[in-house]
């Protein structure tokens, strides 16, 4: 079983000089620790503000103050970086996608407004959604025992998403109109050959359209990037929320199987 | 874009002698056809009671009677058979799993009561759930443009699920306590080597536990079968509903990539 995981926003454990020190948990994490009824002597996993990863032993837990000592530094499990660029979908679908894709292991979540996205976000809604998704990503990372939580971006335009994808080693656009023979495996092979990198150190953007799909123009904007491929996820038409979970799982699987 | 898909319960199109004939649709499918506002001249895909797959042209649609002519026989896309044995989970999770796993392409869905399943089903509830899952599977198959719909089994015990798994070429048990090095890829390699079959013709059972996981005893019951492997789905702990979607996607991917 994995240890309960906690992420620290600002505290860096390497700066703690005392053997026993208080963890600076967010209010909701303190609440979570109480729900778990964490007791003296129990161990937890802590990821600090610089992503160092520790196993800590609880020395005291009184009121809201949780004090621990470091039991050992853990090695975080390095995975390839998959950036999920997800077309804005309706209702609770985005929540579902960010939750499950975080469990699966995405490194970043980029919510993208497309021309066929039904949901329109004004500045206020956009901020509220962004905060909600960041909070879901954090709690899913805690629950799944990840040694990092994904970076959640503010909702952006297609042009904004293309800008983010520019910094990736490759861009894979999941498109139902792609040939069945355009597979993820092939695209990953091309990307490995083109970059010469170890698959485990690759950073790949995956683009998934909203309910109505991406337009050909939107696909073209991504395809104009170097190392961009439109791929098929198989003979079935996947709903957007299924594709947003399955595509990152397949990409991580393919990259790790080759490492 | 894929054509709207309809599944027939009893009608076999090879037995229709007239060029134009009425489709015997279930009431909910007739309703669905109306919602889609299907019009004369439009094409639909029809999978008949013996799984033959046709593209049909609508000749008339008056009241509840939809008459068509066959435009062409389609070739159904043969996929490896993945049988998802899913530990009974709470609330709407089973609905989510059967919907998304159907899109992904499972051949059969086996809901299994385990010792850690919180939900208890009496005979009446069991029947109601079974009917609900069958209906969700059918509509997800229609929506995803599959040329077949998955077989949904009635809820069964672990012993019952082991019996169903016996008829598969291999059994892969997704278990969070499996070594990280016990990968799906390795298990599939062993299975291909052991059976000598083409990966595309394999029939593989995937076992996913409920929220609390499988007990070691339950895992052992499956491991006693020949060609049974406990596998890890990666370094993260996946929720049961995530595993029930991701595991079949990865298995189908792995089997098809090797075909």
């Amino acid at each position: 079983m994995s240890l309960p995981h906690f992420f620290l926003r600002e505290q860096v454990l390497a700066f703690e000089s005392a053997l026993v020190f208080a963890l600076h948990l967010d209010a909701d994490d303190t609440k979570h620790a109480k729900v778990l009824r964490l007791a003296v002597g129990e161990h937890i996993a802590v990821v600090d503000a610089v992503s160092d990863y520790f196993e800590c032993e609880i020395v005291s837990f009184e009121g809201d103050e949780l004090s621990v000592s470091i039991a050992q530094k853990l090695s975080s499990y390095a995975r390839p970086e998959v950036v999920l660029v997800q077309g804005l979908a309706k209702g609770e679908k985005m929540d579902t996608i960010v939750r499950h894709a975080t469990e699966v292991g995405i490194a970043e979540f980029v919510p993208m407004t497309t021309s066929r996205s039904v949901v329109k976000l004004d500045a206020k809604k956009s901020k509220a959604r962004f905060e909600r998704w960041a909070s879901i990503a954090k709690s899913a990372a805690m629950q799944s025992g990840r040694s990092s939580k994904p970076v959640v971006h503010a909702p952006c335009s297609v042009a904004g998403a293309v800008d983010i994808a520019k910094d990736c080693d490759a861009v894979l656009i999941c498109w139902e109109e792609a040939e069945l023979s355009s597979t993820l495996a092939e695209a990953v092979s091309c990307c490995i050959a083109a970059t010469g990198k170890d698959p485990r150190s690759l950073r790949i953007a995956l683009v998934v359209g909203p309910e109505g799909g991406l337009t050909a123009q939107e696909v073209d904007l991504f395809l104009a990037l170097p190392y961009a491929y439109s791929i098929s996820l198989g003979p079935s038409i996947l709903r957007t929320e299924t594709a947003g979970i399955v595509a990152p799982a397949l990409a991580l699987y393919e990259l790790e199987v080759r490492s």
Side-chain angles (χ1 to χ4, degrees), chain A residues 43 54-57 69-73:
Chain A
H43 285 212
F54 298 89
E55 181 175 337
C56 294
E57 181 177 333
S69 63
I70 291 175
Q72 61 171 322
K73 190 164 190 313

Side-chain angles (χ1 to χ4, degrees), chain A residues 15-34:
Chain A
F15 296 164
E16 296 292 334
S17 50
L19 276 180
V20 174
F21 54 89
L23 285 183
H24 306 163
L25 296 178
D26 284 353
D28 54 340
D29 291 347
T30 304
K31 205 170 140 193
H32 182 59
K34 286 181 181 169

Side-chain angles (χ1 to χ4, degrees), chain A residues 85-90 93 112-118 120 158 173-178 207-220 222 237-241 243:
Chain A
V85 178
Q86 171 69 51
L88 213 59
K90 280 192 288 189
K93 289 178 189 171
M112 168 178 75
T113 306
T114 72
S115 58
R116 293 196 189 135
S117 291
V118 178
K120 303 290 171 211
V158 175
I173 304 116
C174 306
W175 201 34
E176 61 180 46
E177 293 180 42
V207 184
V208 172
E211 289 94 347
L214 297 165
T215 65
Q217 290 78 1
E218 287 166 343
V219 170
D220 284 346
F222 285 102
I237 311 289
L238 302 183
R239 284 166 202 247
T240 181
E241 66 272 34

Side-chain angles (χ1 to χ4, degrees), chain A residues 173-248:
Chain A
I173 304 116
C174 306
W175 201 34
E176 61 180 46
E177 293 180 42
E179 297 289 331
L180 253 187
S181 57
S182 303
T183 62
L184 171 70
E186 233 179 36
V188 167
S189 292
C190 292
C191 169
I192 292 171
T195 59
K197 286 194 184 176
D198 180 278
R200 200 172 282 276
S201 67
L202 283 172
R203 178 179 157 84
I204 288 195
L206 275 179
V207 184
V208 172
E211 289 94 347
L214 297 165
T215 65
Q217 290 78 1
E218 287 166 343
V219 170
D220 284 346
L221 286 175
F222 285 102
L223 282 178
L225 294 175
Y227 314 129
Y229 311 87
S230 67
I231 60 167
S232 160
L233 293 175
S236 294
I237 311 289
L238 302 183
R239 284 166 202 247
T240 181
E241 66 272 34
T242 315
I245 301 164
V246 163

